[in-house]
Structures are given as structure tokens and as C-alpha cells.
């Protein structure tokens, strides 16, 4: 293992050219080289969190620019555009990118950027990344893909034509719920220069210790994901068969609305499962609380299973019209499936579902 370099300042004239940690540190470089390797790209820049990575990209926009956003983006991305960058004159339009007519918007509107996420949170909508990138690339519009849910092991946005692939490394990439981090990957030197400029000029840099932890976490990413995906696929099937469930959403199940696209662009269905229960808000909430092996918590991607009730947790501040437009109702539950023994997870779920009836 590499050591941790907590140094804030470096002796002038050192061979690697480090001067001050805000603009570079050996632990950033080590993590960036590992992330470049797993994404199979030219450049990666690490940040203090996923939101810092998003901020770095958004800071490259200027007043009057229009961003065409997938309408189901991660909540903090929406908040950043609407409550912060809006004040700087950055405009947004929200589109359903699973709907082919949204592609006409790409042609009709002079957009400065397209912002996608696939699978989305919490409904696991799958966007045909290659199709959107093809339309955008014809008009030289950069495409950003938030790849947090899939990770580069399951999906490679840059290979599908995206300009920037970002991830919250807090989630699967670190995988142990003990560090925050973000990354932006690209093959274009011009964008890489913008990202390293944003890292130091906006103060978005991570801490050396967290980079060290994430570097350690990545060593087991393939092992963890293999187990988590296997558990998640089994749990999706178990839930689908239970009479207390209205419907289940999992990208690699045939009943997923964009299953064909998922099979085309992903190596596996991921480890998030979303389900709609036959119960009202109180019953759904009580179901979440009854589970023993799924801690009721926000976030995802760690080795321990979590359950989230979006209506009262991650999406509590979203207006009821927007929630119903996005398909988030009071009976919706999102599972982040961990590495535990599958029979423990299955028994736990079955018992809590049986009690719903
Ligand atoms: C968590 C998350 C983020 C934000 O990352 P932080 O590390 O929490 O700042 C961005 N996008 C998605 C899809 C996420 O799940």
C-alpha cells in the first residue's frame, strides 16, 4: 500500500512538481491513475465528493448557457442547477431521454451541454447513451454521464460517446461507507485541463486520507460488485413473486421497460432494486423499519444492504406534482443490495413482506 501524504506543502523543486495540496498530492495522483485504468480512459480528476465533481463540470458553463438535463437526475444535481447556477444565468431544460421526441430538442435548441444519468435514481430508468451521444456529437455538444449507479465495471459512457463520465466514488467505488469522493473521467485534454483547474481554483480537492481509503476500496470493487449484483438479481426475482409487491424494477429483468437498452450497454444489471409495495405510506415505512439486514438509510453502494423510502427520505423535499410525474409514490422502496449472505437477506425480506398482508 502507498503511504498517506498529509503534507499541505512541498519543498520547491521536487521531481514530481508538487507545490501545495490544493493543486495536487501524491494520493490524488495514485487514485487518479487507478480510476483512469478502470474506466480505460486518458484522464481522471478526483474531487472531495460527487457533488464537487458535478460543481467542477457546471463551473465550466457561462451565463446564458442552456443545459438539457434528463428529468430524473440525482436530487443534489437538480438542486445545484436550480438553487445555485441558476443565479449565475445558467439555464436548464428537463427532458425524458427515454422518449425519442427529446432527441428533436437536441437539434432544435442550442444547448451548451447535455446531462444524463443511467440507471436513474430511484426508478432505474435506462437511457440509450449511445443514441443520445450520437445526436449530440453531430452538433459538438458535450455530454456528461453520471455513472455512479453502474460504475465503469458495468458501463463505460466514454466508449458510448460521452465527453465526461462522472461518479460519486463515495458509493460503489469506495464501497465501505467510510469516505466521500468524486471523479470526472475524460479522453479530451481540453476537458482534463478544465477539471484540474476547477479542482484547485474552486477548492474542490479531496483529502489525501480519503483518496488513500478509496484507493484501498477499489481493490475489491470487482469482487464486491460480483456478489452484490448476484444478490440483487435474486432479490429482484424473489420480490417479483411475492403477493405483497405491485411491481419490481431491475434493469436486467425482462419486465423492465428499457431492458433491451440495458442489455446492450451494461455488463450486468447493477445492485439496486426498486419495488412498489401493496401498502400505504405508513405500511411501507413500517416494512422498511421491520427489516433487520437492510438498514434504513440514504446513500448506496456499500457492502451492507440499505433500504430507502424515497417519498419521506431522498425525495422528501420534492413537490408532490414532480414526484408523481417521476413516478415516485408513497409505496416505493429502493434497496441497495450488499454483500451479505443471500439466504439471510431473502428470509428477512420474505418475513417483512408476509407481515404486510
Ligand atoms: C451520491 C450521488 C451523487 C453525489 O455524490 P456525493 O459523493 O454524495 O457528493 C451524485 N450522483 C449520484 C447518482 C449519486 O448517487
Amino acid at each position: 500500500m502507498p503511504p498517506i501524504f498529509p503534507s499541505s506543502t512541498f519543498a520547491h523543486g521536487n521531481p514530481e512538481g508538487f507545490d501545495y495540496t490544493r493543486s495536487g498530492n501524491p494520493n490524488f495522483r495514485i487514485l487518479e491513475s487507478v480510476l483512469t485504468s478502470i474506466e480505460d480512459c486518458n484522464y481522471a480528476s478526483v474531487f472531495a465528493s460527487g457533488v464537487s465533481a458535478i460543481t467542477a463540470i457546471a463551473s465550466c458553463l457561462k451565463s446564458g448557457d442552456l443545459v438539457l438535463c434528463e428529468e430524473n437526475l440525482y436530487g443534489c444535481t437538480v438542486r445545484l442547477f436550480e438553487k445555485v447556477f441558476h443565479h449565475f444565468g445558467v439555464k436548464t431544460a428537463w427532458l425524458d431521454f427515454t422518449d425519442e421526441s427529446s432527441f428533436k430538442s437536441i437539434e432544435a435548441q442550442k444547448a451548451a451541454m447535455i446531462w444524463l444519468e443511467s440507471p436513474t435514481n430511484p426508478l432505474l430508468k435506462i437511457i440509450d447513451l449511445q443514441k443520445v451521444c450520437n445526436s449530440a456529437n453531430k452538433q459538438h455538444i458535450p455530454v456528461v454521464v453520471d455513472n455512479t449507479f453502474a460504475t465503469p465495471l458495468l458501463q463505460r459512457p466514454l466508449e458510448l460517446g460521452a465527453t465526461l463520465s462522472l461518479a460519486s466514488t463515495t458509493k460503489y467505488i469506495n464501497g465501505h461507507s467510510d469516505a466521500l469522493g468524486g471523479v470526472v473521467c475524460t479522453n479530451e485534454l481540453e476537458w482534463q485541463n478544465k477539471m484540474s483547474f476547477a479542482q484547485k481554483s474552486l477548492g474542490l480537492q479531496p483529502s489525501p486520507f480519503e483518496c488513500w481509503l478509496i484507493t484501498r476500496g477499489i481493490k475489491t470493487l470487482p469482487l464486491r460488485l460480483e456478489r452484490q449484483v448476484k444478490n440483487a438479481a435474486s432479490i429482484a426475482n424473489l420480490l417479483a413473486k411475492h403477493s405483497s409487491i405491485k411491481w419490481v424494477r431491475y434493469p436486467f429483468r425482462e419486465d423492465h421497460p428499457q431492458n433491451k437498452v440495458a442489455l446492450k450497454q451494461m455488463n450486468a444489471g447493477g445492485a439496486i432494486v426498486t419495488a412498489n409495495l401493496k401498502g400505504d405510506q405508513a405500511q411501507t415505512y413500517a416494512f422498511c423499519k421491520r427489516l433487520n439486514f437492510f438498514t434504513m438509510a440514504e446513500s448506496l453502494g456499500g457492502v451492507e444492504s440499505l433500504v430507502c423510502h424515497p417519498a419521506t427520505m431522498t425525495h422528501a423535499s420534492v413537490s408532490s406534482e414532480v414526484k408523481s410525474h417521476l413516478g415516485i409514490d408513497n409505496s416505493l422502496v429502493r434497496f441497495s443490495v450488499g454483500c451479505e449472505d443471500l439466504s439471510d437477506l431473502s428470509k428477512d425480506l420474505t418475513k417483512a413482506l408476509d407481515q404486510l398482508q
Side-chain angles (χ1 to χ4, degrees):
M1 274 302 285
I4 305 168
F5 295 82
S7 330
S8 61
T9 187
F10 297 84
H12 182 69
N14 63 81
E16 284 87 15
F18 291 113
D19 46 42
Y20 188 65
T21 278
R22 188 172 358 89
S23 52
N25 175 288
N27 292 109
F28 303 2
R29 297 270 171 89
I30 293 163
L31 177 58
E32 285 167 350
S33 81
V34 178
L35 291 166
T36 310
S37 156
I38 63 168
E39 188 98 23
D40 200 12
C41 66
N42 292 341
Y43 311 104
S45 305
V46 289
F47 295 96
S49 65
V51 169
S52 304
I54 294 164
T55 304
I57 301 171
S59 76
C60 299
L61 295 161
K62 57 184 191 310
S63 178
D65 278 352
L66 170 70
V67 186
L68 298 181
C69 298
E70 157 55 37
E71 64 183 12
N72 213 174
L73 289 188
Y74 181 70
C76 299
T77 311
V78 178
R79 184 174 62 191
L80 194 68
F81 276 124
E82 293 196 331
K83 306 267 191 225
V84 182
F85 284 96
H86 174 75
H87 299 305
F88 295 89
V90 173
K91 291 179 284 185
T92 43
W94 304 91
L95 305 168
D96 175 5
F97 276 97
T98 57
D99 177 357
E100 297 268 333
S101 66
S102 296
F103 290 62
K104 291 207 182 77
S105 276
I106 302 179
E107 283 155 36
Q109 308 193 46
K110 291 247 173 298
M113 189 175 270
I114 294 175
W115 202 293
L116 307 175
E117 196 172 310
S118 184
T120 64
N121 177 37
L123 284 160
L124 308 177
K125 207 165 99 170
I126 304 289
I127 291 152
D128 192 329
L129 299 178
Q130 193 161 34
K131 242 187 203 167
V132 179
C133 291
N134 280 346
S135 301
N137 289 343
K138 271 186 218 140
Q139 296 174 78
H140 309 287
I141 302 168
V143 179
V144 179
V145 176
D146 186 332
N147 201 34
T148 302
F149 272 43
T151 82
L153 267 57
L154 304 191
Q155 175 171 278
R156 297 265 179 82
L158 301 179
E159 288 171 12
L160 300 169
T163 319
L164 302 167
S165 170
L166 85 88
S168 163
T169 52
T170 310
K171 314 292 167 57
Y172 291 101
I173 291 179
N174 180 52
H176 294 78
S177 313
D178 54 10
L180 263 72
V183 63
V184 180
C185 293
T186 185
N187 285 321
E188 296 180 23
L189 180 60
E190 195 193 332
W191 275 102
Q192 171 59 16
N193 289 337
K194 288 182 187 178
M195 291 301 101
S196 45
F197 180 77
Q199 195 186 49
K200 65 180 174 191
S201 62
L202 295 172
L204 299 173
Q205 78 290 338
S207 81
F209 176 61
E210 293 196 284
C211 288
W212 181 85
L213 274 178
I214 297 165
T215 302
R216 188 169 85 157
I218 292 179
K219 289 172 194 278
T220 54
L221 176 62
L223 286 172
R224 286 184 279 111
L225 263 184
E226 193 182 311
R227 172 69 167 249
Q228 285 174 268
V229 165
K230 221 167 148 189
N231 280 353
S234 302
I235 283 170
N237 293 338
L238 175 150
L239 293 172
K241 284 194 207 113
H242 201 284
S243 56
S244 298
I245 296 282
K246 258 186 261 162
W247 50 259
V248 170
R249 200 57 65 78
Y250 183 70
F252 267 35
R253 270 180 64 85
E254 249 178 56
D255 57 3
H256 186 288
Q258 295 92 32
N259 175 246
K260 285 208 176 70
V261 184
L263 292 172
K264 187 179 73 167
Q265 72 187 18
M266 297 174 76
N267 295 325
I272 305 287
V273 180
T274 301
N276 206 285
L277 270 54
K278 288 181 188 160
D280 60 17
Q281 172 163 330
Q283 289 166 320
T284 307
Y285 191 89
F287 160 82
C288 295
K289 281 288 192 194
R290 267 202 301 281
L291 294 165
N292 287 319
F293 285 95
F294 294 80
T295 304
M296 197 172 178
E298 295 191 7
S299 196
L300 56 118
V303 292
E304 294 94 0
S305 292
L306 302 180
V307 62
C308 169
H309 184 231
T312 57
M313 294 167 69
T314 50
H315 290 70
S317 62
V318 177
S319 74
S320 47
E321 298 99 78
V322 173
K323 265 192 285 215
S324 80
H325 178 71
L326 297 176
I328 299 165
D329 66 22
N330 293 330
S331 314
L332 196 74
V333 174
R334 184 194 75 186
F335 302 94
S336 171
V337 181
C339 292
E340 299 90 339
D341 190 289
L342 179 60
S343 65
D344 283 340
L345 298 178
S346 304
K347 276 184 220 151
D348 194 23
L349 284 168
T350 307
K351 194 172 137 217
L353 284 171
D354 288 347
Q355 287 175 28
L356 251 186
Q357 290 164 330

